[in-house]
Amino acid sequence: RSLGTRGEKNVETEVLLHEHSIPTEPFSPRVLACLPPADFTCIPEAGRTDLRHLPILSIDPPGCKDIDDALHCLKLPNGNFQVGVHIADVTHYVRAGTAIDLEAANRSTSTYLVNKRLDMFPSLLTTDLCSLRGNIDRYAFSVLWEVKDDEQATIVDVSFTKSLIHSVAALTYAQAQAYIDAGDANTSIPAQ
């Protein structure tokens, strides 16, 4: 099979994908039929902890579209800290054994190349419903630690929960570093 002229970026990219058996086909109608409606809204539901009151934010490279994790840290009235890590809840949208689940298992991961990205899931999930963007409610899995304000950050308690979060901002690394460098713990991060 001829893919084109050796040394051309697009040809070399196709060779790389072919050599490593990375799926490049568009998602099938059966897979797309598994998706929720494009206007799906995350709402409170039984068995899911509402954490929208927490100052959750994400920190990613500039231009990141698939924001799959976020965090928060706040001082508790007892002097300890609560630290939270929140991961997008893909399982809310992907049921075991469905066409979308089987396709994701086949792809196994999103593949990032210099000139393109091949997603494990359709974009409605990767860059929208499972992207913990700023100023929008999203389903997540959350782990919450209570840690002492000591040199070891001694863990006092930990809990895991399905959650509903509302990220207050989607920061770049540079933006997050600027807040750290400002050194003012009372600085409010504007919603983005």
Side-chain angles (χ1 to χ4, degrees):
R1 171 177 164 194
S2 175
L3 297 175
T5 305
R6 177 182 289 173
E8 291 181 2
K9 181 174 67 171
N10 289 340
V11 172
E12 295 296 330
T13 298
E14 291 306 313
V15 167
L16 181 69
L17 294 170
H18 179 73
E19 284 180 348
H20 295 281
S21 302
I22 297 172
T24 60
E25 305 80 26
F27 291 101
S28 72
R30 285 187 63 226
V31 168
L32 297 175
C34 296
L35 294 171
D39 62 350
F40 182 87
T41 302
C42 297
I43 58 173
E45 60 182 26
R48 192 172 289 277
T49 305
D50 190 343
L51 301 178
R52 293 178 292 176
H53 63 284
L54 295 174
I56 296 168
L57 54 84
S58 63
I59 305 170
D60 288 284
C64 184
K65 302 285 187 220
D66 55 341
I67 302 170
D68 58 3
D69 54 39
L71 56 93
H72 81 275
C73 182
L74 59 92
K75 189 94 168 184
L76 297 172
N78 66 3
N80 292 340
F81 287 95
Q82 181 184 70
V83 178
V85 174
H86 314 275
I87 307 296
D89 183 2
V90 178
T91 66
H92 184 82
Y93 309 99
V94 178
R95 301 290 181 236
T98 60
I100 195 169
D101 178 49
L102 298 174
E103 181 64 25
N106 178 52
R107 292 180 183 229
S108 71
T109 188
S110 293
T111 302
Y112 297 87
L113 302 166
V114 173
N115 60 338
K116 69 168 136 181
R117 180 175 106 190
L118 300 165
D119 288 322
M120 181 174 166
F121 293 107
S123 64
L124 178 62
L125 295 185
T126 58
T127 62
D128 189 356
L129 295 176
C130 295
S131 186
L132 306 179
R133 299 178 292 160
N135 208 27
I136 191 161
D137 293 350
R138 289 290 180 246
Y139 293 135
F141 281 108
S142 299
V143 59
L144 306 171
W145 291 274
E146 180 178 343
V147 297
K148 288 185 179 178
D149 186 7
D150 61 19
E151 287 185 22
Q152 295 78 30
T154 305
I155 297 172
V156 175
D157 189 31
V158 63
S159 63
F160 301 85
T161 186
K162 284 186 169 188
S163 59
L164 175 62
I165 68 167
H166 186 94
S167 178
V168 297
L171 300 180
T172 64
Y173 296 127
Q175 289 170 319
Q177 190 62 54
Y179 283 112
I180 292 168
D181 292 345
D184 182 0
N186 296 318
T187 299
S188 177
I189 297 174
Q192 299 179 0

